[in-house]
Amino acid sequence: MASVPAHARSAPDRLLAVLGAFDLEHPALSLTDISRRAGLSLSTAHRLVAALTEWGALERDDAGLYHVGLRLWELAALAPRGLALRQVALPYLEDLYEATHENVQLAVRDGPEVVYIEWLSGRSAVGVHIRVGARWPLHATGVGLALLAHSDADFQEGYCGGPLTAFTPYTVTDPAGLRRMLAEVRRTGVAVSSRQVTDDALSVAAPVRGPGGAVVAAVSVVVPQADAQIPVLAPAVRLAAWGISRGLGWRPEKGA
């Protein structure tokens, strides 16, 4: 957060700072924690937290800790790239899970990152560092590669030319190599990310299109790398992505 004095920040900025104090690593916070993480005085934090709690954006548990409230979930349900997309996609994600019994994921792009909005975990699936709301850089995941490959050319070039973080020895950090991967995604219709986040997992992803044909999300399945059968997985993932796209109103051009 920029080092702007609390008194110089607008009322909306201070409210957003309180909400921004919560994240995946900090889902429950005391008033003192909120004050510190939001960069606000304790009295200001107390006043804003009280207002947000009364409105339903925050909830206070029996231990005195605050959590994100259900009112925000109600609003999130109206977001076309959030719960509304999830509602359309869920039957197809469940079908993909039943076909594979592996981790199945749905994600959207937010700037240079993917945000996971649904995740079905397989009973005997490979472990993954993913949960709903988690973020990862685009280049390191199958869904991220599918989304990046179908973003506009200027964004792709800027991303490929920027720093590419490595998470394993297999993470693609070479700009030229990443450009080749993106071209292959566009050619085949699927993205394959092998051992880029963990050295035992492989993901196969496909893009999801909205009514006008633009890519709005990506779906993937994550399997153990050692016995991954990409020729079997790719058609199943493509079919799930196609079904979600149709559910969103996309209709392929004749002959496509």
Side-chain angles (χ1 to χ4, degrees):
M1 181 182 297
S3 56
V4 178
H7 68 271
R9 291 152 66 185
S10 68
D13 284 340
R14 293 194 291 269
L15 273 172
L16 292 173
V18 170
L19 294 175
F22 295 86
D23 58 25
L24 288 173
E25 286 70 43
H26 304 88
L29 296 171
S30 68
L31 183 60
T32 300
D33 293 332
I34 294 172
S35 170
R36 176 179 53 81
R37 287 177 56 78
L40 300 170
S41 67
L42 194 59
S43 60
T44 299
H46 181 272
R47 176 170 54 82
L48 296 176
V49 166
L52 289 168
T53 302
E54 182 179 2
W55 187 75
L58 297 179
E59 296 176 357
R60 188 172 185 266
D61 65 21
D62 293 339
L65 297 178
Y66 291 90
H67 306 256
V68 172
L70 288 177
R71 188 72 179 271
L72 291 183
W73 283 101
E74 293 172 4
L75 288 178
L78 303 176
R81 294 203 308 153
L83 297 182
L85 170 60
R86 173 190 174 276
Q87 188 173 25
V88 171
L90 195 55
Y92 302 98
L93 301 179
E94 290 173 341
D95 286 346
L96 182 57
Y97 169 79
E98 288 300 327
T100 63
H101 290 285
E102 300 286 358
N103 288 297
V104 172
Q105 304 163 342
L106 180 71
V108 297
R109 180 170 77 85
D110 185 21
E113 298 175 313
V114 294
V115 180
Y116 291 86
I117 62 173
E118 186 54 272
W119 168 46
L120 304 181
S121 178
R123 291 186 294 272
S124 59
V126 64
V128 293
H129 301 297
I130 297 299
R131 49 184 167 175
V132 173
R135 293 171 174 264
W136 279 90
L138 292 168
H139 68 281
T141 66
V143 286
L145 290 170
L147 291 164
L148 182 58
H150 294 280
S151 60
D152 66 78
D154 288 342
F155 178 83
Q156 285 185 49
E157 190 57 30
Y159 188 95
C160 291
L164 302 174
T165 303
F167 301 97
T168 74
Y170 307 98
T171 307
V172 176
T173 57
D174 171 55
L178 179 56
R179 292 187 187 97
R180 287 193 294 271
M181 290 183 72
L182 299 179
E184 185 68 5
V185 172
R186 290 188 292 272
R187 185 184 71 81
T188 63
V190 294
V192 178
S193 177
S194 179
R195 298 184 289 179
Q196 292 215 85
V197 175
T198 62
D199 61 9
D200 62 346
L202 177 145
S203 66
V204 179
V208 172
R209 298 183 183 275
V215 171
V216 297
V219 60
S220 72
V221 61
V222 181
V223 302
Q225 188 274 336
D227 54 4
Q229 300 182 45
I230 297 172
V232 175
L233 294 171
V237 175
R238 271 196 299 255
L239 182 62
W242 187 85
I244 299 169
S245 300
R246 296 273 296 187
L248 292 174
W250 172 72
R251 297 295 180 268
E253 295 179 3
K254 291 183 178 179

